[in-house]
Amino acid sequence: LSIVHLGRRYLHLASAAIADATGKIEIPIEPMLRIFPEDGDVVEIAKPIIEGFVSGDSTRWKLLRAPYHEIGFRIEEAE
């Protein structure tokens, strides 16, 4: 999931939600929230987006026969 807070996106991984008999749900999120979400902040669940900078060595990218291509890169989240 991604949280849009003050115009910036923060990407998180949510795993195995656990609901109790009262309907309350607990969803573990990693990494820990780096911001305090405010009322009205958008939470993107179906199509989360990461915002940051792409880095990588373009000489390591391999173009293989279609339909598959292998590339490697990192995304450093904007701060």
Side-chain angles (χ1 to χ4, degrees):
L1 62 92
S2 53
I3 300 171
V4 183
H5 177 71
L6 299 176
R8 294 183 53 202
R9 283 186 170 85
Y10 297 86
L11 185 69
H12 296 278
L13 173 67
S15 59
I18 302 166
D20 65 15
T22 66
K24 291 182 182 177
I25 191 165
E26 182 178 310
I27 304 173
I29 296 177
E30 295 178 25
M32 292 175 62
L33 294 178
R34 296 172 296 246
I35 48 97
F36 186 76
E38 297 176 7
D39 288 346
D41 282 353
V42 174
V43 177
E44 301 166 322
I45 296 174
K47 293 184 180 180
I49 299 171
I50 189 170
E51 184 177 333
F53 305 97
V54 177
S55 64
D57 182 359
S58 62
T59 61
R60 288 188 20 217
W61 296 10
K62 298 177 188 175
L63 295 179
L64 306 173
R65 295 185 192 267
Y68 303 105
H69 301 285
E70 179 182 320
I71 62 170
F73 62 91
R74 297 180 92 163
I75 299 178
E76 183 176 331
E77 202 167 34
E79 294 187 24

